[in-house]
Amino acid sequence: MASACSALYFLNLKGDVLINRTYRDDVERNLATAFRSHIINTRDGDNVASLTPVRILGPCSFLYMRASDVYILAVTKSNANAMLAFQFMTNMVTLLKSYFGGEFSEQSIKNNFVLIYELLDETLDFGYPQIVDPSILKQYIFQKGFITEAAKAKREAEAQNATLQVTGAVGWRKDNIKYKKNEVFLDIVEQVNMLMSNKGTVLRCDVNGKIVMKVFLSGMPDVKLGLNDKLEDVTFHQCVNLGRFNTEKVVSFVPPDGEFELMKYRCQEGISRPFSVLPIVNELGRTRLEVNVKLKANFSAKLYALNLLVTVPVPENTAHADIHTSQGKAKYDAKKHALVWKVKRYQGMAEHALTASVELIATTRERKPWGRPPIAMAFQVPMFSASGLRVQYLKVWEKSSYKVDKWVRKVCRSGDYNIRI
Amino acid sequence: MAKLVNMRGLQTFIADIRNCANKEQEKVRVDKELGKIRKKFASGNTVTEYDKKKYVWKLLYIYMLGYEVEFGHKQAADLIPATKYAEKQVGYMACAILLNEKDEFLRLIINSIRNDLISRNEAFHCLALGFVGSVGGQEMASLLMLDVMNLLTSGAVRPIVRKKAALCLLRLIRKAPPEAEVMQPEVWAAKLGALLDERDAQPGVLLALVTLLLGIVSRSYEGYEALAPRVVRLLERLVPERREGGAREAAPAVTADYHYYGIPSPWLQVKCLRVLQYFPPPEDPGVLRALTAVLRRIIAGSEPHKNVNKNNAQHAVVFEAIALALALEADAELLTASVALLARFISVREPNIKYLGLENLVRLAEVPAVADTIARHQKSVIGSLRDADVSIRRRALDLLFAMCSRANAPDIVAELLRYLEVADFGMREELVLKTAVLAERFYPDLRWYVDVMLQLIERAGEFASKDIWHSTVQLITSYPELHEYSTRKALEALQRGAVHEALVCCAGYLLGEYGRLVPDVPAHVRFALLQERFVAVSSEAKGLLLTAYMKLLVADPGDTGLRELVAAVFDRYARFMDADLQQRAAEYLALGQRPDVAARNVTAMPPWEKRKSLLLRRMAEREGEDTDEAQARPAWLQTDEDGVTVPGTPSVGATLPTAGEIRPAGDIDAWFRKLCTAPSGVLYEDANLQVGVKMQFQGSQGQLALFLGNKGDTPLERLVCAVPPVPQFAFQVGPVPKRLEPKKQIQVPLMVACVAPFATPPRLQLGYACGAQALNRSLALPVVAAKFCTPPDAAVPREAFFQRWRALPGPPQRLGERVVRAPPALARAPVEAMLASLSLGVQSGLDPDPDNAVAVATFTYTPLGQQPQQVPCMVRIEVEKTQRLQSQVTAASPDATVTAALKHLVCQVLSSI
């Protein structure tokens, strides 16, 4: 790879530097100021160009992303691989989360400066990404400052093994792991993205799915997972034997210990949409708006959706809204400039509707016509697979052939689920 | 304000906003609040006055944070007619911040403002005046000017109102169109004089009045001359005689409250002094004597103090006094005193005073009477060149340039040459140019000039532009007695190791031309000196050097050693990448093999014909630009050099050629006014071009013919005659040729259709180039509202007229304006004739007073793709009976734009018959 990141910054939302590490001397030190004045504090929020994740200011490219209330910024002067940089930053967040007990925020960064410097030293070398796997790094970078003698001796031994392990044949799993109860948990998590026109035609629809496993197995088990062949774009964890997948369509692997993401996939055909929506929004003159949104759940009546949230945008000069719903609660939220309809539990195959008459306040200047942004939906449907992916079998094979408890779950969540009005 | 403190909701809201950690939180909070306010405002009448006030405050705060609050404009405006002071105040403040003068919404509140202006409540007067003074636009100026004037002159109002009225009027005057005469001098000179003369007038009011006067005279002082002695008297009272105990002729103008660090109201003094600068020097010797005495007192009575504020105030007064003394062309004694004072300023350490002293001395240096006095301070000015502050160094350079004369030129130029070595890089370009100009302007003898220029070129390095060495070699070429001397000097410079390109070029030229005059230095040495520098210079300079080598060779054909060396160079460059160099080298190589041909063809440069100094022209270009420190490369560096010039005779005060300015041969406005009433006439005329126009109108359509005639003997190039599109009109312009031959006339047809009512006539863009002169002017076309008017066929019945008239009660459909004219008195017949010429049908016997003229017409316009629309309009002119100098013009029509346009037109024409 002929490209590298010159410096890595963590900044808060105001643009103050929380922590930074410069890996190469080809960039100046005052980049954080440039980032603050040109990117964070730009007023033109409407300007789409200002929202791009990669900005080029002068000779430097600024690649940045936001995680909770922190901006992570990678600066490079060369023609760097942007996807690599973002993947690295995403992994960095995961890594830090696993160190901070699942939390990643401005405060947690401030509390762990020393640790973060250590991690930054390990994860990037002269700007080139190195190991970012938490399970491996945790073997030699410790969170706690104080440890007992015995633990120290043990850790030292482990740390010595670390090199061996990382470079070994099964780098992701240690030898001699022992559990009293051997268990495997498998979750299929799917995110369904959809864009529908106001006539009900589907303009775009796809499913991003992943299989997350939690493995508590002794020894060196060999696991085989059989899936129906509905998969299109698949990415596997490094433990998966790709040769066998290509020849036999069987996912076979020696799992790492604990929680990991086994595979990711994407699916664009044969998707069953969990909800269909029929919106009618009429502007009556300059000061009134009639809204009627019909909602139908397309999944089996045995299932149900949780925490359904429908956001129906209304013009910015809305003064008052009179709303009726056949289920759940709805109100006008001035902060989002939208009517927000909430249903805690929505039965499969059910049909419900929201009707509202919205009153707008007149303005003195001629406004530009309302942009009619799309309706957005958020929900979660347990035990529903939008892509139709099924687990046919999950087999565990180990020398000592112990008994294994296996658990399989599915959940379907909304991604960008939008309906134009 | 007490109420404001108690607004809990507002306080909590502001506290919430301040507690927001970032922009997003703030936006969320603001959106929430806006939602609430919208709901409240939309809910109808249930909002209490208190709540309304509170919400408008909140909206104002939100607006200042940068969010749109358009829906609140109406609510804010609704508070203006409120009866309580607190609400009115909020209304005015919100409107002043939310609306700008272009806002159409302002029209709706003009009436409420007017009500406040004519009310009896002084607090309301103040609010309304403050609002008009900060937001008032052109429309307000035309509608409210009379009321504001009344407030100013009314004897009953308190000083604070009068003060505000004066400042408000100033704003309205500034907003009025530049050609309009808003304050008739006949009336206002006397009124303002009376106000200024008031015995117990407060300094605050005086300050406002003088500021107003300043605004008026900056447009035109004509008619106000009588006020100058009054201002002088005021100044006299402000700056009393020093003598204590002596009988003062007037009481001091200001009480001790208005003293600022012991100086009586410096602001007022400064304003007075500045007003006087606009007037010509007073004719009355008494006034002039008094004014000179005041100036002398000011200039003599100021010395630096410890206190910075006192210093600042005093200096402000002093500098204005000096400016006035310059404007008055005061006696030498006063100016000498000023120079002495300023000289003291430049010798102090405080940089601000030093800067101001230098800057003012530059202005004084142009007065010949004090030139000698200034020259006495040359040393301290030169000292300022080494000041730590760059802006002071720049001013010092300017001053040295300005004060240089034939007598002190050698000293100053020598000093500037020394200074060149240490000067800032940013200043060097300017410094080099100025030194060169000074040397050229004041050289005592030619050798000195050559010395200076060669030194300058040597030291300036890359800051010496081509012009400098071009003009040097030109001069040398023209004076044979200089040839040997300058060649030696150039050789010495080369031997000292000078390497800069300009010097190398200069030396190459001199050695090539006159190298044979210094036989003690052998040709191959001369060649070697140049060849050392050959590789480092640009290809243009290389070309010059190649020519120089050729000339060396021709001058010394017997030197075989030189021949070989030169041939080697030519040979190498005959295969060079640069086409020009390659060709040159190849040709010279061939010439070198045939010495006889070479000797015939390679000859000495002839003397240059005398032309105007190139340097001076560059200097003028440079001065024309912004002389800010942060300027980009000066224009004279970017322009390509168009031949070289001779410095020739010292050109003190040579006229600097500027882009030719073409003046019209008469008053464009008068032509325009005449065309408003006549169907044909002259639109524009100058020395080269005459533009006549012939018009014919029918309903909303018009046919114009523009006659462009070339009066001069030279053809007019790049002829432009175009009408920029305006939404209210549709145009169709015939073809215009690019060139207009001498003594020839062309006709350009122009069709115009009125699409909508309009306030200002369309404009014609007229331009041409004639030799060095060029014209580009935007002229108003006489397509005024009256041209689209048609008088009624029959007399209008009385009832119908008054019904219409009453249906339009006030602005903006009905507008009035008072027109005051210079004598002679206005008879009735010309008024009626004027109305008729404006296509307005005069109706006699309609008005109860037979002396008033009433006219009726129909204005027609055709929106694109629609049926013609007709707007009935009415005009009434009442002439004041006794003197018949003032008249009240009232225009009315259902369309505000038509009314305003007609009123403006009638007033304009009326004041000029």
Side-chain angles (χ1 to χ4, degrees):
Chain A
M1 185 180 67
S3 55
C5 137
S6 298
L8 197 68
Y9 286 82
F10 290 79
L11 307 105
N12 68 11
L13 292 188
K14 285 182 194 150
D16 305 326
V17 180
L18 298 172
I19 189 167
N20 78 309
R21 176 86 163 79
T22 308
Y23 292 97
R24 289 170 167 237
D25 287 332
D26 56 353
V27 292
E28 284 150 31
R29 301 268 156 179
N30 56 357
L31 289 169
T33 328
F35 180 72
R36 179 165 55 216
S37 55
H38 286 92
I39 297 173
I40 298 185
N41 288 348
T42 41
R43 267 273 160 120
D44 45 349
D46 303 335
N47 188 354
V48 180
S50 72
L51 299 174
T52 50
V54 182
R55 298 284 298 276
I56 297 168
L57 303 175
C60 296
S61 305
F62 288 70
L63 303 96
Y64 66 100
M65 57 177 274
R66 191 178 147 183
S68 73
D69 55 352
V70 175
Y71 281 108
I72 304 165
L73 163 69
V75 185
T76 175
K77 220 167 182 180
S78 53
N79 179 17
N81 182 341
M83 285 316 293
L84 179 81
F86 282 103
Q87 184 68 54
F88 173 75
M89 288 192 275
T90 319
N91 284 1
M92 198 68 205
V93 174
T94 324
L95 173 66
L96 292 178
K97 268 187 184 164
S98 80
Y99 266 97
F100 304 156
E103 189 207 348
F104 179 76
S105 66
E106 186 181 344
Q107 198 52 46
S108 60
I109 289 182
K110 283 182 178 166
N111 292 342
N112 294 284
F113 280 142
V114 178
L115 174 70
I116 297 175
Y117 274 125
E118 264 189 89
L119 288 173
L120 287 177
D121 276 348
E122 285 304 324
T123 48
L124 276 177
D125 186 8
F126 197 48
Y128 296 108
Q130 309 290 313
I131 303 162
V132 279
D133 190 336
S135 63
I136 296 170
L137 281 170
K138 273 182 177 170
Q139 288 175 23
Y140 52 100
I141 295 179
F142 314 118
Q143 194 175 8
K144 297 280 184 301
F146 177 79
I147 45 168
T148 60
E149 279 299 309
K152 197 176 168 192
K154 191 180 162 219
R155 281 191 170 172
E156 270 170 7
E158 270 182 1
Q160 274 176 354
N161 277 340
T163 355
L164 196 68
Q165 232 228 292
V166 172
T167 52
V170 189
W172 55 89
R173 191 177 174 93
K174 281 191 285 182
D175 280 340
N176 53 45
I177 298 172
K178 286 218 168 55
Y179 287 100
K180 268 189 191 149
K181 192 176 179 190
N182 290 296
E183 283 177 307
V184 179
F185 299 87
L186 186 145
D187 286 356
I188 301 178
V189 183
E190 288 189 344
Q191 204 177 46
V192 51
N193 302 315
M194 190 198 70
L195 180 65
M196 199 192 254
S197 78
N198 55 353
K199 302 272 171 3
T201 23
V202 177
L203 304 173
R204 197 182 66 216
C205 188
D206 59 84
V207 170
N208 279 324
K210 60 180 177 181
I211 298 181
V212 179
M213 291 190 79
K214 213 181 248 181
V215 178
F216 304 112
L217 292 173
S218 313
M220 275 288 185
D222 220 338
V223 183
K224 263 193 208 167
L225 172 66
L227 300 166
N228 59 341
D229 47 354
K230 286 223 51 161
L231 302 177
E232 288 171 26
D233 301 329
V234 201
T235 333
F236 288 109
H237 188 265
Q238 58 167 335
C239 64
V240 175
N241 185 337
L242 294 178
R244 289 190 70 183
F245 178 76
N246 286 338
T247 52
E248 301 168 35
K249 290 284 167 199
V250 172
V251 184
S252 140
F253 54 99
V254 178
D257 195 34
E259 188 172 338
F260 70 101
E261 191 183 283
L262 176 69
M263 59 185 280
K264 283 194 283 205
Y265 58 91
R266 200 171 56 166
C267 185
Q268 281 175 308
E269 276 162 27
I271 294 167
S272 44
R273 281 172 285 121
F275 287 98
S276 47
V277 185
L278 190 65
I280 302 168
V281 178
N282 285 329
E283 284 170 271
L284 309 172
R286 281 162 53 113
T287 55
R288 293 225 324 128
L289 189 74
E290 288 289 345
V291 179
N292 187 351
V293 179
K294 283 200 185 106
L295 195 60
K296 183 171 187 292
N298 294 332
F299 46 85
S300 136
K302 286 180 211 154
L303 304 176
Y304 49 86
L306 293 178
N307 299 330
L308 176 79
L309 189 75
V310 185
T311 316
V312 186
V314 288
E316 292 207 351
N317 55 339
T318 297
H320 176 74
D322 207 0
I323 315 174
H324 297 283
T325 55
S326 52
Q327 203 190 9
K329 285 179 189 162
K331 64 167 187 192
Y332 166 59
D333 188 343
K335 295 173 218 164
K336 292 179 184 160
H337 299 297
L339 309 177
V340 178
W341 178 19
K342 280 181 188 163
V343 185
K344 279 237 170 78
R345 197 181 150 98
Y346 195 107
Q347 191 68 38
M349 304 308 286
E351 271 188 60
H352 290 290
L354 170 144
T355 51
S357 77
V358 179
E359 202 181 318
L360 311 177
I361 195 164
T363 55
T364 53
R365 283 180 204 154
E366 199 56 44
R367 294 185 71 87
K368 51 181 178 188
W370 180 43
R372 295 176 84 98
I375 294 176
M377 283 183 75
F379 51 81
Q380 195 173 337
V381 190
M383 300 318 287
F384 174 74
S385 164
S387 65
L389 180 79
R390 282 198 315 277
V391 173
Q392 280 164 334
Y393 58 84
L394 176 66
K395 287 180 189 158
V396 178
W397 183 86
E398 217 275 339
K399 282 182 282 191
S400 51
S401 58
Y402 42 70
K403 179 176 166 287
V404 181
D405 292 333
K406 292 174 258 187
W407 309 88
V408 176
R409 278 197 303 190
K410 283 191 277 192
V411 68
C412 171
R413 292 203 184 107
S414 59
D416 286 338
Y417 206 85
N418 293 332
I419 301 95
R420 286 191 186 156
I421 54 176
Chain B
M1 276 294 167
K3 259 280 159 63
L4 179 61
V5 180
N6 293 331
M7 284 186 171
R8 277 256 333 271
L10 179 61
Q11 282 183 324
T12 340
F13 173 62
I14 293 178
D16 281 358
I17 294 283
R18 291 201 175 147
N19 288 335
C20 287
N22 53 42
K23 201 83 199 139
E24 288 162 30
Q25 281 177 17
E26 180 191 295
K27 187 166 177 359
V28 167
R29 182 70 185 85
V30 165
D31 278 338
K32 186 180 153 199
E33 196 65 36
L34 281 177
K36 200 171 118 196
I37 298 174
R38 280 197 299 266
K39 191 173 172 186
K40 290 280 185 188
F41 278 162
S43 63
N45 300 331
T46 50
V47 191
T48 63
E49 294 294 337
Y50 168 79
D51 277 348
K52 213 170 189 178
K53 204 166 74 186
K54 184 174 76 180
Y55 292 138
V56 172
W57 276 125
K58 280 186 187 173
L59 283 180
L60 206 50
Y61 187 71
I62 292 172
Y63 177 76
M64 289 192 292
L65 289 173
Y67 299 89
E68 278 302 324
V69 292
E70 275 166 11
F71 70 90
H73 291 182
K74 193 177 163 300
Q75 311 289 339
D78 282 352
L79 283 174
I80 288 186
T83 45
K84 278 193 205 145
Y85 177 78
E87 284 154 28
K88 214 180 251 297
Q89 182 207 14
V90 182
Y92 272 121
M93 185 181 287
C95 284
I97 294 173
L98 296 176
L99 306 177
N100 67 23
E101 62 175 278
K102 301 258 161 54
D103 213 307
E104 303 216 330
F105 193 61
L106 274 183
R107 289 209 182 123
L108 304 180
I109 55 177
I110 283 190
N111 229 355
S112 332
I113 299 171
R114 188 150 183 276
N115 286 338
D116 278 346
L117 284 177
I118 57 179
S119 75
R120 297 189 164 275
N121 189 327
E122 282 172 347
F124 292 179
H125 288 162
C126 289
L127 284 178
L129 288 172
F131 178 76
V132 176
S134 56
V135 203
Q138 232 177 63
E139 196 174 346
M140 277 201 179
S142 61
L143 294 176
L144 299 176
M145 180 101 67
L146 270 183
D147 298 305
V148 177
M149 286 172 173
N150 286 341
L151 273 182
L152 178 64
T153 47
S154 140
V157 296
R158 284 202 301 188
I160 174 119
V161 179
R162 183 167 293 169
K163 197 160 82 181
K164 280 179 188 276
L167 293 176
C168 179
L169 198 53
L170 175 61
R171 158 90 182 197
L172 295 182
I173 291 174
R174 285 184 185 151
K175 284 293 159 190
E179 67 278 2
E181 190 183 52
V182 279
M183 293 188 74
Q184 294 77 12
E186 299 81 24
V187 185
W188 279 96
K191 282 189 181 172
L192 282 178
L195 287 171
L196 279 174
D197 271 354
E198 256 177 48
R199 270 278 122 178
D200 47 354
Q202 278 188 13
V205 179
L206 285 176
L207 181 57
L209 285 172
V210 177
T211 314
L212 173 62
L213 185 58
L214 190 58
I216 296 172
V217 295
S218 63
R219 288 162 76 100
S220 159
Y221 69 87
E222 273 166 38
Y224 288 95
E225 290 90 345
L227 288 179
R230 292 199 163 91
V231 178
V232 173
R233 217 173 307 145
L234 178 62
L235 256 182
E236 260 186 302
R237 281 157 62 200
L238 279 170
V239 193
E241 294 275 359
R242 278 272 159 129
R243 257 179 302 123
E244 283 301 319
R248 290 201 184 123
E249 47 183 310
V254 294
T255 56
D257 298 353
Y258 285 87
H259 282 221
Y260 181 77
Y261 291 93
I263 306 167
S265 189
W267 297 278
L268 188 49
Q269 291 191 36
V270 166
K271 286 268 157 79
C272 287
L273 291 167
R274 194 168 286 172
V275 166
L276 288 173
Q277 285 171 39
Y278 280 101
F279 288 110
E283 281 158 17
D284 183 356
V287 176
L288 186 59
R289 208 179 314 122
L291 182 55
T292 320
V294 169
L295 290 180
R296 192 167 297 137
R297 278 206 293 276
I298 292 175
I299 291 169
S302 77
E303 42 212 43
H305 295 268
K306 280 253 166 60
N307 188 310
V308 182
N309 289 333
K310 177 159 188 172
N311 262 342
N312 285 344
Q314 200 166 49
H315 294 154
V317 178
V318 167
F319 290 136
E320 282 304 330
I322 292 175
L324 180 56
L326 275 172
L328 291 179
E329 290 157 8
D331 52 2
E333 190 198 338
L334 192 56
L335 292 178
T336 314
S338 318
V339 172
L341 177 68
L342 293 175
R344 227 176 322 135
F345 282 1
I346 60 174
S347 58
V348 297
R349 195 171 295 164
E350 160 69 25
N352 288 333
I353 298 180
K354 206 169 195 173
Y355 180 90
L356 290 168
L358 287 169
E359 197 181 25
N360 279 279
L361 269 177
V362 173
R363 285 155 75 189
L364 276 171
E366 282 152 20
V367 182
V370 291
D372 292 346
T373 332
I374 294 180
R376 248 180 271 147
H377 304 287
Q378 187 178 326
K379 192 165 263 173
S380 53
V381 179
I382 288 174
S384 305
L385 267 184
R386 307 262 196 268
D387 196 279
D389 190 331
V390 66
S391 47
I392 290 183
R393 293 201 294 270
R394 271 176 195 280
R395 287 306 139 243
L397 177 60
D398 285 350
L399 180 54
L400 277 179
F401 184 68
M403 67 192 265
C404 194
S405 67
R406 191 166 289 271
N408 54 14
D411 290 346
I412 289 182
V413 170
E415 180 54 43
L416 289 181
L417 277 178
R418 265 201 299 285
Y419 179 56
L420 183 59
E421 311 221 306
V422 291
D424 283 358
F425 287 98
M427 263 173 84
R428 283 198 182 178
E429 275 169 18
E430 196 185 340
L431 180 60
V432 168
L433 189 61
K434 284 194 164 159
T435 315
V437 170
L438 284 181
E440 180 188 305
R441 203 183 269 174
F442 299 117
Y443 61 89
D445 68 79
L446 289 166
R447 288 195 171 195
W448 180 85
Y449 177 76
V450 171
D451 283 348
V452 167
M453 290 311 259
L454 284 179
Q455 272 187 51
L456 187 67
I457 294 168
E458 190 182 339
R459 293 189 191 176
E462 63 263 43
F463 294 100
S465 64
K466 284 178 195 147
D467 299 331
I468 290 180
W469 79 263
H470 286 175
S471 52
T472 311
V473 297
Q474 276 184 338
L475 183 109
I476 295 171
T477 315
S478 316
Y479 291 92
E481 65 269 30
L482 282 177
H483 292 176
E484 190 195 334
Y485 177 77
S486 42
T487 314
R488 272 188 203 288
K489 285 284 168 189
L491 264 177
E492 280 169 24
L494 284 183
Q495 278 160 345
R496 273 200 302 276
V499 287
H500 284 303
E501 184 167 324
L503 187 91
V504 173
C505 287
C506 189
Y509 178 93
L510 291 175
L511 289 180
E513 295 293 324
Y514 315 116
R516 65 200 140 70
L517 299 177
V518 274
D520 45 326
V521 184
H524 65 91
V525 177
R526 282 177 251 150
F527 170 76
L529 278 172
L530 291 176
Q531 184 62 20
E532 263 173 44
R533 287 145 179 102
F534 189 84
V535 280
V537 294
S538 68
S539 49
E540 201 180 331
K542 279 193 177 111
L544 190 143
L545 287 182
L546 288 181
T547 311
Y549 295 162
M550 190 63 212
K551 290 199 168 177
L552 283 179
L553 205 60
V554 172
D556 213 351
D559 191 337
T560 44
L562 178 69
R563 176 173 299 274
E564 272 169 29
L565 288 170
V566 173
V569 176
F570 287 161
D571 189 46
R572 178 143 25 97
Y573 279 87
R575 295 187 299 276
F576 194 60
M577 208 165 46
D578 186 313
D580 176 48
L581 280 184
Q582 190 186 46
Q583 185 175 1
R584 230 179 242 245
E587 284 170 7
Y588 291 162
L589 194 61
L591 268 181
Q593 281 153 3
R594 301 188 51 194
D596 51 328
V597 181
R600 251 202 329 277
N601 287 299
V602 182
T603 54
M605 292 290 277
W608 303 77
E609 63 174 288
K610 301 212 170 191
R611 265 188 277 170
K612 225 167 244 161
S613 164
L614 187 68
L615 288 180
L616 278 180
R617 205 170 80 208
R618 290 290 142 94
M619 191 79 187
E621 279 168 20
R622 208 186 147 88
E623 308 263 285
E625 304 168 9
D626 186 11
T627 42
D628 200 339
E629 290 179 17
Q631 61 180 335
R633 274 169 75 80
W636 57 268
L637 268 186
Q638 288 157 352
T639 49
D640 57 332
E641 100 289 1
D642 48 353
V644 263
T645 56
V646 180
T649 48
S651 45
V652 187
T655 46
L656 307 178
T658 49
E661 195 174 314
I662 302 176
R663 295 187 174 282
D667 183 2
I668 292 182
D669 291 337
W671 289 328
F672 174 78
R673 274 201 298 273
K674 197 165 270 175
L675 278 170
C676 287
T677 54
S680 63
V682 174
L683 181 66
Y684 174 81
E685 183 168 358
D686 62 31
N688 309 314
L689 178 75
Q690 183 186 44
V691 181
V693 66
K694 207 176 221 177
M695 300 176 276
Q696 200 178 359
F697 286 85
Q698 177 77 47
S700 63
Q701 309 276 331
Q703 284 187 357
L704 281 81
L706 298 167
F707 297 93
L708 279 73
N710 186 350
K711 291 162 64 187
D713 300 326
T714 41
L716 303 182
E717 304 280 353
R718 302 201 299 273
L719 192 64
V720 176
C721 177
V723 187
V726 193
Q728 290 93 339
F729 294 97
F731 297 110
Q732 206 177 334
V733 192
V736 183
K738 280 262 170 288
R739 182 182 163 96
L740 185 55
E741 296 297 339
K743 306 282 179 217
K744 215 185 144 204
Q745 191 182 51
I746 53 159
Q747 182 180 351
V748 179
L750 168 65
M751 308 283 278
V752 56
C754 178
V755 177
F758 56 93
T760 48
R763 310 209 52 102
L764 174 76
Q765 196 64 35
L766 189 67
Y768 66 82
C770 172
Q773 293 184 312
L775 172 95
N776 197 358
R777 205 174 239 289
S778 170
L779 297 165
L781 275 175
V783 179
V784 289
K787 302 282 180 193
F788 300 102
C789 286
T790 359
D793 300 332
V796 179
R798 200 188 188 106
E799 297 75 36
F801 175 80
F802 278 104
Q803 198 181 358
R804 279 251 167 87
W805 185 261
R806 288 198 198 96
L808 308 167
Q813 286 98 10
R814 188 157 117 192
L815 299 171
E817 188 173 325
R818 188 163 285 271
V819 181
V820 182
R821 50 179 277 123
L826 191 61
R828 183 176 162 81
V831 173
E832 287 191 354
M834 179 273 285
L835 286 174
S837 68
L838 287 175
S839 318
L840 302 167
V842 182
Q843 308 288 316
S844 46
L846 254 187
D847 200 273
D849 185 340
D851 215 24
N852 293 348
V854 172
V856 181
T858 321
F859 176 84
T860 315
Y861 66 97
T862 313
L864 288 177
Q866 291 179 34
Q867 288 300 311
Q869 305 282 321
Q870 301 207 317
V871 182
C873 16
M874 295 163 272
V875 175
R876 180 181 183 208
I877 301 178
E878 300 158 75
V879 182
E880 177 260 339
K881 296 222 162 70
T882 48
Q883 287 185 302
R884 299 195 69 88
L885 287 179
Q886 292 193 29
S887 38
Q888 172 75 24
V889 175
T890 316
S893 82
D895 188 293
T897 321
V898 174
T899 310
L902 261 185
K903 187 211 73 182
H904 183 69
L905 177 66
V906 173
C907 292
Q908 209 179 5
V909 177
L910 189 64
S911 58
S912 65
I913 32 175

